[in-house]
Amino acid sequence: MLTIKQLFKKSSQYKRAKNLSKKRIKNKINQEQHNQEEWYKLDNAGLIFPAIQQSSWNSVFRISAYLKEKVNPQMLERATNDVIKRFPAFNVSLKRGVFWYYFQQINKYIKVEEENTYPCQAIPLTKSTPLFRVVYFNKKISLECFHSLTDGRSALVFLNTILSRYFVLLGHNINLNNLPVSYLDSPQPEEWEDAFNKYSDLKEKAPRKEKTGYQLEGEINKNKHLNVISLIMNSNEIKTLAQTKYNCSIQEFLCAIVIKALQDQQIQQISRNTKPVKLSVACDLRRFFPSKTLRNFANVINFGTNKGDGELSLEQCVEYAKQGMILFTKENLMKINNTNVADQKNIFIRLVPLFIKNWIMNMVYFGSSEKGFACPFSNLGIVNDGAEFKELVEKYDFIVGALKFNKFATSVITYNNNLTLSFSLKVKSTDIVKKVSDILVNNGIKVHIESNMNNKI
Amino acid sequence: MSLHNFCDNCKVSIDNHISNCPLCGKCVSEKEKNLLTTQTTTYPSVSNLNNKKMAIIKLISCSLFLATAVLFAIEFFVTKSIRLSFYFLASYLLFQFAVLIPIKHNFSLATSSILALLFLQCYILFIELYSHTFGWGVTYVMPLIALAYSIYNGVLIVAKGYFNFEYFLPICFSGAISIVFFLVNYLNSWKFWPSLAAMLFSCVIVLLIIFFKNKRLKKSIEKKFHF
């Protein structure tokens, strides 16, 4: 039996506990609100994508991992939400400022859905929706990102971190130390730095002007959906062929094949006064400028044939590719970076309101940006991070959504001796892919094809 | 790798669920059939995409435009004048700019509400001027709408704790409009108590936010105006 004094003590203890729990709840809410007030400026490369978006299109790319077993959606969702805390600058939505767009942290629960539409559909940039999506289908897990958020290299790191957590949840033994980012670590500020600004010295700049290049023509798909055709081949075979027969690297060889296919396509349509056939080849700047950033840090250089070139042999195209790859030096990339950053830092451009800036960027983009090249070409290289998942992941796939005006895009990724060369086409005709495939087959390469083209209802 | 089809024309192997070669379109030869009953495709079957939302918005917009045009025609041919039709035209424009365009372009709640308030005020002013019944709109209805709008935003800010610039801006906007109404009514010696009430309410809310939530507001303004 408790005495009155004990009862009183207990009630005051209860009141203190109640007040403390109220205070804790209030602190938690304040902390959550504070986290939600975290915001990030867009990096230099990310500034253009929101400006050129349309209601049915924005710049999206996809990285997929094909597992050896069917995907467990509940575990995948749990893994995604566990890992997103390690990448706080990924759980953001796009907001309009008066002068620039910015990212607002939203800390939303990420829902993982079954894939039920075409790849690289526009990601809604409205209100508080995350700028990426995780979808699954059968044995495939795909991560689709809006390009302002991150680039292919960092998206691959994010996907591999999700996979590591997913496999751990399924009971597999994964050594997290072998991965570049472990979901058990805390986020580091260097991972969200704008590396473009960090490495620009604004001394020398590269010229922007480019001549109009050849553009693939064709009837656009209804609703502009993407037809994806992936050519899968043995990377050792390609490497041997490129080195022994053409004395070049895999990258140069693949660029040369695409250039040759485009040139042949152009000759078929117009036999003379040909335009230059150029590719916009992306380069990960982390190879030249050390940075831990998980945001965009890549630039592009356009190269290809000259104006008036007739039919070219593959050897001639390889020469063009080699001349193009020579341009990827630290000095050249620094100049390109300086040009882009100088525009961003120009006081007159900074003070222009966003709606006028968007209009101007759209006009400049339409007038000059994509007209200089026929297609973007992105090579993520060999997926070394996935070595831990050798027994669990069969292959990776990398699809770049076609740009605003270009009709198709090319992307490459290699894993476990499987090189996947993917074409995402906005047009109905697949002639260009057939030409590429013919070149490979004629050179003795065994090609396997995967595509979404047969799956229409 | 699982069993595949093979295209004799292109000399490539193809996933077994694909019946026509994506490169040349020909029906592929089946070397060995895949006997698995479970789905082995890498892409789902999809129907053609339909943007239902855009389709509905277009349908509503076209229907309203058509209805307005029909009313114009009926009134012109029946009464030989188009006086009443301008009311319908003004309503159509109000609905278009205050409702459909914000939905179509996914404007934020703050932007949508500011646009709705602005166009509603313009609509009332138009009715007042067009019907030559000046005095009820500028004096009573418009300030009371501004007051209701300020109360709505005030509740959002105070009760829900939304101290973002996005919710602060509408209150500033309605405050500015209320000040204009107050000055117009006061200088013309009309009844100014509705506009005074709206002005005072908005100013109180703005001052409360500035004095008590200035850190949050400052952070919100910093990200909105960063350059």
Side-chain angles (χ1 to χ4, degrees):
Chain A
M1 186 81 174
L2 294 167
T3 63
I4 293 172
K5 202 177 177 184
Q6 281 171 330
L7 269 170
F8 180 75
K9 242 186 178 177
K10 226 184 171 183
S11 76
S12 60
Q13 271 175 354
Y14 169 73
K15 272 183 190 166
R16 251 184 274 132
K18 199 175 165 188
N19 286 340
L20 196 60
S21 71
K22 266 190 193 168
K23 205 177 175 186
R24 277 199 188 129
I25 290 167
K26 201 176 178 186
N27 278 346
K28 198 179 176 189
I29 291 171
N30 278 344
Q31 184 62 31
E32 275 173 11
Q33 277 179 346
H34 172 73
N35 285 345
Q36 284 183 354
E37 283 163 10
E38 279 299 320
W39 65 283
Y40 309 93
K41 290 184 188 179
L42 268 66
D43 55 60
N44 181 266
L47 291 171
I48 186 72
F49 300 113
I52 60 171
Q53 61 165 312
Q54 292 172 321
S55 54
S56 57
W57 175 87
N58 47 43
S59 187
V60 174
F61 64 88
R62 168 193 276 206
I63 300 181
S64 306
Y66 292 73
L67 311 187
K68 291 187 178 171
E69 285 173 11
K70 208 168 174 186
V71 174
N72 183 327
Q74 291 83 20
M75 286 301 165
L76 178 61
E77 190 164 301
R78 196 174 144 192
T80 308
N81 286 285
D82 288 347
V83 161
I84 196 65
K85 292 167 198 162
R86 172 67 182 78
F87 298 82
F90 271 58
N91 205 352
V92 295
S93 65
L94 190 72
K95 296 283 184 190
R96 291 179 74 105
V98 174
F99 300 108
W100 296 107
Y101 285 97
Y102 63 94
F103 290 137
Q104 173 70 56
Q105 196 154 3
I106 50 173
N107 292 329
K108 235 181 176 174
Y109 183 79
I110 310 294
K111 289 218 86 166
V112 163
E113 287 169 354
E114 188 171 14
E115 187 179 346
N116 61 1
T117 183
Y118 291 95
C120 300
Q121 287 299 296
I123 286 182
L125 303 179
T126 56
K127 296 176 186 173
S128 299
T129 45
L131 300 176
F132 69 93
R133 56 169 82 99
V134 177
V135 295
Y136 66 93
F137 182 73
N138 265 336
K139 299 179 184 178
K140 183 176 72 170
I141 295 173
S142 300
L143 168 70
E144 291 187 343
C145 294
F146 178 53
H147 217 321
S148 278
L149 185 67
T150 188
D151 60 12
R153 172 59 56 194
S154 304
L156 184 59
V157 169
F158 183 43
L159 177 64
N160 280 335
T161 315
I162 293 175
L163 285 176
S164 64
R165 179 64 181 151
Y166 171 75
F167 291 133
V168 163
L169 287 172
L170 289 179
H172 296 287
N173 229 356
I174 303 290
N175 186 353
L176 298 174
N177 293 327
N178 287 344
L179 296 166
V181 168
S182 164
Y183 59 83
L184 296 173
D185 296 336
S186 314
Q188 297 168 32
E190 304 91 63
E191 291 171 355
W192 319 120
E193 66 181 7
D194 183 352
F196 291 107
N197 267 304
K198 184 179 169 186
Y199 285 106
S200 67
D201 56 16
L202 297 179
K203 285 177 187 165
E204 277 185 79
K205 293 175 202 165
R208 270 196 200 280
K209 255 190 172 178
E210 279 218 44
K211 290 184 185 156
T212 306
Y214 168 70
Q215 296 288 320
L216 187 70
E217 287 164 13
E219 193 186 337
I220 304 279
N221 291 325
K222 199 177 175 185
N223 291 319
K224 296 182 190 171
H225 67 251
L226 282 185
N227 289 336
V228 176
I229 303 176
S230 298
L231 309 181
I232 303 158
M233 47 208 122
N234 189 299
S235 59
N236 289 330
E237 274 182 30
I238 289 274
K239 192 175 178 182
T240 311
L241 174 70
Q243 283 175 349
T244 54
K245 195 172 176 185
Y246 298 99
N247 192 26
C248 64
S249 64
I250 293 180
Q251 169 91 343
E252 288 160 355
F253 181 65
L254 293 174
C255 288
I257 290 175
V258 178
I259 289 172
K260 170 137 175 70
L262 283 164
Q263 183 72 2
D264 290 346
Q265 185 81 1
Q266 187 181 199
I267 298 284
Q268 254 180 324
Q269 290 161 356
I270 43 167
S271 52
R272 49 184 183 158
N273 294 330
T274 55
K275 290 181 185 172
V277 166
K278 295 207 171 178
L279 303 182
S280 181
V281 179
C283 172
D284 181 13
L285 293 177
R286 295 170 191 86
R287 286 166 42 204
F288 299 92
F289 307 99
S291 173
K292 283 186 182 176
T293 187
L294 290 173
R295 298 170 70 185
N296 281 301
F297 194 36
N299 256 327
V300 295
I301 293 182
N302 303 343
F303 61 80
T305 65
N306 294 322
K307 189 180 174 183
D309 276 349
E311 199 167 329
L312 296 169
S313 65
L314 188 54
E315 286 78 9
Q316 286 171 305
C317 294
V318 166
E319 283 309 309
Y320 275 127
K322 281 183 180 176
Q323 285 167 22
M325 291 308 293
I326 287 171
L327 299 171
F328 285 90
T329 60
K330 194 173 178 179
E331 293 71 32
N332 280 344
L333 291 166
M334 173 72 95
K335 285 182 192 173
I336 294 169
N337 189 30
N338 286 339
T339 310
N340 295 333
V341 172
D343 287 341
Q344 185 188 356
K345 287 190 171 172
N346 185 313
I347 188 70
F348 298 110
I349 293 175
R350 282 160 72 185
L351 288 174
V352 167
L354 182 62
F355 70 97
I356 297 176
K357 236 184 287 220
N358 284 347
W359 182 68
I360 294 171
M361 281 204 272
N362 249 309
M363 271 181 16
V364 168
Y365 191 83
F366 174 72
S368 60
S369 198
E370 287 184 32
K371 287 194 169 178
F373 56 91
C375 89
F377 185 100
S378 305
N379 185 353
L380 276 187
I382 301 172
V383 182
N384 287 317
D385 312 345
E388 268 302 301
F389 314 135
K390 229 172 175 176
E391 306 300 319
L392 304 159
V393 173
E394 191 176 316
K395 68 179 178 85
Y396 284 82
D397 199 357
F398 175 40
I399 298 167
V400 173
L403 296 182
K404 196 169 180 181
F405 303 109
N406 288 147
K407 304 292 187 305
F408 78 108
T410 317
S411 47
V412 185
I413 193 166
T414 306
Y415 177 72
N416 207 15
N417 291 330
N418 281 321
L419 186 147
T420 307
L421 173 63
S422 298
F423 293 86
S424 51
L425 301 139
K426 268 199 309 199
V427 293
K428 290 182 179 174
S429 166
T430 57
D431 287 349
I432 193 73
V433 185
K434 170 115 175 72
K435 286 183 165 59
V436 169
S437 167
D438 286 345
I439 294 169
L440 290 165
V441 165
N442 291 341
N443 276 284
I445 301 291
K446 288 194 200 96
V447 175
H448 173 72
I449 288 184
E450 281 178 4
S451 175
N452 69 337
M453 288 183 67
N454 226 55
N455 289 359
K456 292 189 200 64
I457 292 174
Chain B
M1 262 187 193
S2 54
L3 306 169
H4 306 296
N5 291 328
F6 189 82
C7 176
D8 294 321
N9 191 35
C10 303
K11 308 279 186 286
V12 293
S13 65
I14 301 170
D15 253 4
N16 50 18
H17 69 281
I18 300 175
S19 52
N20 288 70
C21 174
L23 302 183
C24 62
K26 287 197 174 160
C27 199
V28 293
S29 59
E30 292 169 36
K31 265 196 156 181
E32 281 149 320
K33 271 210 161 168
N34 190 331
L35 297 170
L36 292 169
T37 51
T38 52
Q39 238 177 338
T40 57
T41 56
T42 48
Y43 291 99
S45 302
V46 292
S47 55
N48 274 324
L49 301 173
N50 277 317
N51 195 335
K52 283 183 184 165
K53 179 177 150 189
M54 285 296 155
I56 291 170
I57 288 173
K58 271 186 189 165
L59 185 67
I60 293 172
S61 184
C62 290
S63 309
L64 288 171
F65 180 75
L66 217 61
T68 310
V70 163
L71 280 161
F72 258 96
I74 290 171
E75 205 191 352
F76 179 72
F77 286 115
V78 170
T79 64
K80 303 290 182 214
S81 75
I82 49 172
R83 194 178 157 69
L84 284 176
S85 303
F86 276 108
Y87 287 106
F88 292 113
L89 179 62
S91 309
Y92 165 72
L93 289 172
L94 170 69
F95 188 69
Q96 182 79 4
F97 286 104
V99 176
L100 287 184
I101 286 180
I103 293 173
K104 188 178 170 186
H105 294 286
N106 288 308
F107 288 164
S108 64
L109 182 64
T111 313
S112 308
S113 60
I114 288 175
L115 278 175
L117 176 72
L118 187 65
F119 283 107
L120 188 60
Q121 304 284 27
C122 291
Y123 179 68
I124 291 166
L125 187 66
F126 161 77
I127 292 179
E128 208 181 15
L129 292 170
Y130 190 67
S131 60
H132 303 296
T133 53
F134 202 80
W136 57 271
V138 174
T139 314
Y140 293 103
V141 176
M142 286 155 81
L144 287 174
I145 288 176
L147 176 63
Y149 183 75
S150 301
I151 293 171
Y152 162 72
N153 276 298
V155 163
L156 274 181
I157 288 172
V158 173
K160 294 266 185 179
Y162 294 154
F163 294 109
N164 302 343
F165 182 74
E166 241 180 45
Y167 295 92
F168 181 67
L169 182 66
I171 275 254
C172 294
F173 184 74
S174 65
I177 282 189
S178 309
I179 290 171
V180 167
F181 289 140
F182 173 73
L183 287 171
V184 164
N185 287 308
Y186 182 74
L187 293 170
N188 284 302
S189 307
W190 297 331
K191 293 243 165 54
F192 57 78
W193 65 261
S195 46
L196 179 66
M199 184 183 73
L200 287 175
F201 187 86
S202 307
C203 292
V204 162
I205 295 285
V206 166
L207 289 169
L208 278 174
I209 295 170
I210 289 173
F211 283 124
F212 294 107
K213 292 288 173 189
N214 52 3
K215 277 185 191 168
R216 278 242 179 104
L217 187 64
K218 195 180 164 192
K219 199 167 184 181
S220 197
I221 289 173
E222 193 188 297
K223 65 186 171 193
K224 205 74 176 171
F225 285 90
H226 81 275
F227 67 96

